[in-house]
């Protein structure tokens, strides 16, 4: 079975999740909540989903399982994950989001939320243990679908109210912004929020079929669409998100997407943060930004959240987190636009998008010029798809087994100088460029990240890094 916990929740093939497995994990989560004292029988639990074809059926199966486990299910419908999380914090209720986020349409997953926010890696282990125990029983878990009370309007209204308070009235007046709607659950809310701030909004590319959009590695086809729309409509920016609306995509006036870690940096500055927690894959130029202490973690929102909580425990204030995909988390409340913005310690695409557009409107500069002002190293990333997990493990073992193996593997790219083994292998070369190899946490993919001072150099490092990955994958291996 393909199901496993990755960087953010349970993921796997839709065919492996749909049916009894969905009921098993929903039941396991309910048992864990009750046994750990985080919920009691009869308490509410939220349920949301994305637009994947398999999500409604998986959601209904989870609703039935949660009800039979003794909880009261509130159906929040097709809603962004940060909106589901915010409603959960408001009600003090746990929740499940049925989504595969940005991964292909034949896959799906479940994100789990405790009443106080996103689950930790320790919670994942406990839920997995409960699921294993249920699957080991001689009596199969009941996968009969169930129904739930509709709370979609309440959850949506709370999220809209939050985002309507972030900027001053008419703060985006004068900007012409496209919203690439595709199949993200954030598509209509983005139009409503941006229009509410006075932007001239053009909806684009709405799709009835699910389209996986990875905001950390935007495909050439997607960039082609963005560039064509930017030119056709003379847009100042294009805004979008991944399938469940927790990772932002913001392109400049030419249709070129801004790096997600730059969006996170701008959001951190917008909130007045003093500490930013971010994975090792985010741009190394972040440490050069004044007034912001950068703490590095492994890739995945649970690690970023733990880093934020540790900073708060150490007495830090103004603590935010963001990932290289742009999803921005807040660990402490912020005073913005004269009001308190409640901490939301889960990835959000709306805060960084609004922060960037607000900066563009206030500065009267195009987004391309704003991005250049930060003078971050050029950072690119891509992935080799359909790269078996065992091949990824073999590659990482090979690279870690000794300096000679690493030097030989990197010979087409450059000579290694220093390395970080926090998550994957991140190597700084003697010419100061960076190449980073990391297996995906939720799909059979091998990711490659590259940094350099110029676009051409970064492209060269990335292309050669991907070529090295592919060449290793084609080598025969003994079993």
């Amino acid at each position: 079975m393909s199901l496993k916990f990755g960087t953010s929740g349970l993921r796997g093939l839709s065919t492996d999740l749909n049916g009894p497995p969905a009921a098993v994990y929903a039941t396991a989560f309910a048992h864990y909540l009750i046994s750990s004292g985080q919920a009691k029988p009869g308490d509410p639990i939220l349920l949301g989903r994305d637009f994947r074809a398999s999500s409604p059926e998986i959601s209904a199966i989870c609703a039935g399982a949660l009800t039979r486990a003794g909880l009261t299910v509130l159906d929040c419908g097709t809603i962004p994950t940060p909106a589901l999380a915010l409603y959960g914090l408001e009600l003090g209720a746990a929740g499940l989001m049925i989504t595969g986020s940005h991964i292909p349409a034949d896959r799906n997953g479940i994100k789990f939320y405790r009443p106080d926010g996103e689950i930790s890696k320790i919670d994942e282990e406990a839920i997995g243990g409960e699921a294993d125990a249920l699957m080991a029983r001689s009596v199969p878990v009941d996968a009969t679908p169930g129904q739930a009370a509709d709370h979609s309007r309440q959850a949506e209204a709370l999220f809209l109210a939050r985002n309507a308070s972030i900027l001053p009235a008419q703060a985006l007046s004068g900007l012409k912004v496209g919203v690439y709607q595709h199949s993200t659950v954030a598509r209509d809310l983005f139009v409503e929020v941006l229009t509410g701030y006075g932007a001239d909004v053009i909806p684009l590319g709405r799709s009835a079929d699910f389209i996986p959009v990875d905001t950390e590695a935007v495909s050439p086809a997607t960039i082609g669409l963005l560039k064509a729309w930017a030119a056709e409509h003379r847009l100042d920016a294009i805004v979008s998100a991944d399938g469940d609306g927790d990772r932002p995509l913001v392109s400049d006036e030419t249709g070129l997407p801004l790096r997600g870690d730059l969006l996170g940096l701008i959001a951190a500055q917008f909130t007045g943060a003093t500490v930013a927690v971010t994975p090792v894959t985010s741009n190394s130029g972040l440490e050069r930004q004044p007034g912001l202490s950068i703490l590095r973690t492994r890739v995945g929102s649970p690690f970023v959240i733990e880093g934020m909580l540790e900073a708060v425990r150490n007495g830090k204030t103004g603590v935010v987190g963001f990932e290289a995909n742009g999803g921005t988390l807040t660990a402490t409340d912020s005073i913005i636009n004269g009001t308190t913005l409640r901490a939301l310690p889960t990835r959000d695409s709306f805060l960084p998008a609004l922060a960037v557009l607000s900066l563009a409107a206030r500065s009267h500069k195009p987004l391309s010029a704003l991005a250049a002002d930060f003078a971050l190293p050029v950072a690119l990333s891509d992935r080799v798809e359909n790269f078996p997990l065992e091949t990824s493990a073999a590659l990482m073992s090979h690279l870690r087994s000794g300096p000679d193996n690493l030097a030989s593997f990197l010979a087409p790219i450059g000579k290694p100088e220093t390395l970080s083994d926090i998550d994957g292998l991140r190597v700084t070369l003697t010419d100061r460029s960076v190449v980073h190899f990391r297996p995906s946490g939720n799909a059979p993919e091998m990711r490659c990240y590259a940094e350099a001072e110029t676009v051409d150099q970064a492209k060269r490092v990335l292309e050669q890094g991907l070529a090295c990955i592919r060449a290793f994958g084609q080598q025969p291996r003994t079993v």
Side-chain angles (χ1 to χ4, degrees), residues 338-350:
T339 62
T340 299
L341 184 69
R342 181 179 186 173
L344 184 58
T346 195
R347 282 190 306 239
D348 178 20
S349 63
F350 281 71

Side-chain angles (χ1 to χ4, degrees), residues 322-341:
F322 58 85
E323 299 190 61
N325 55 50
T328 301
L329 313 88
T330 50
T332 53
D333 295 347
S334 305
I335 304 299
I336 301 176
N337 189 31
T339 62
T340 299
L341 184 69

Side-chain angles (χ1 to χ4, degrees), residues 112-343:
F112 300 89
Y113 285 83
R114 303 180 313 219
D116 61 345
E118 193 170 332
I119 63 170
S120 67
K121 287 297 179 182
I122 294 175
D123 296 321
E124 286 182 0
E125 292 177 6
I127 297 165
E130 290 277 0
D132 290 343
L134 287 169
M135 286 186 283
R137 297 190 320 178
S138 58
V139 179
V141 172
D142 187 351
T144 305
Q147 296 182 338
D150 184 357
H151 274 239
S152 57
R153 289 186 179 180
Q154 296 94 315
E156 183 179 292
L158 183 68
F159 192 61
L160 284 171
R162 172 187 177 86
N163 286 288
S165 69
I166 292 176
L167 303 179
Q170 298 299 301
L172 304 183
S173 179
L175 291 184
K176 191 174 186 181
V177 182
V179 172
Y180 177 28
Q181 295 195 303
H182 63 94
S183 51
T184 174
V185 289
R187 58 191 182 186
D188 293 324
L189 296 183
F190 261 133
V191 172
E192 186 168 348
V193 169
L194 298 180
T195 300
Y197 283 122
D200 179 7
V201 178
I202 310 294
L204 301 163
R206 191 181 185 93
S207 174
D209 297 321
F210 186 82
I211 299 174
V213 173
D214 185 349
T215 67
E216 192 173 352
V218 185
S219 70
T222 298
I223 293 175
L225 288 174
L226 299 175
K227 286 182 173 292
W229 286 327
E232 177 186 355
H233 299 285
R234 298 185 178 183
L235 301 172
D236 295 301
I238 299 175
V239 171
S240 190
D242 64 337
D244 66 317
D246 67 349
R247 302 178 179 210
L249 189 158
V250 180
S251 81
D252 66 18
E253 72 284 358
T254 72
L256 184 66
L258 302 186
R259 281 279 306 183
D261 40 26
L262 175 58
L263 301 181
L265 171 60
I266 293 172
Q269 294 179 340
F270 176 78
T271 62
T274 59
V275 177
V277 182
T278 194
V280 66
T281 50
S282 291
N283 197 294
S284 61
L286 295 173
E287 275 80 359
R288 300 200 298 261
Q289 301 303 309
L292 195 62
S293 176
I294 302 295
L295 304 179
R296 298 282 181 166
T297 72
R298 292 178 62 187
V299 175
S301 53
F303 298 111
V304 174
I305 291 169
E306 178 53 38
M308 293 194 304
L309 293 176
E310 181 66 22
V312 172
R313 286 193 292 266
N314 290 334
K316 302 296 184 181
T317 58
V319 180
V320 304
F322 58 85
E323 299 190 61
N325 55 50
T328 301
L329 313 88
T330 50
T332 53
D333 295 347
S334 305
I335 304 299
I336 301 176
N337 189 31
T339 62
T340 299
L341 184 69
R342 181 179 186 173

Side-chain angles (χ1 to χ4, degrees), residues 10-22:
L10 184 75
R11 300 280 173 81
L13 292 170
S14 300
T15 51
D16 286 346
L17 179 59
N18 201 350

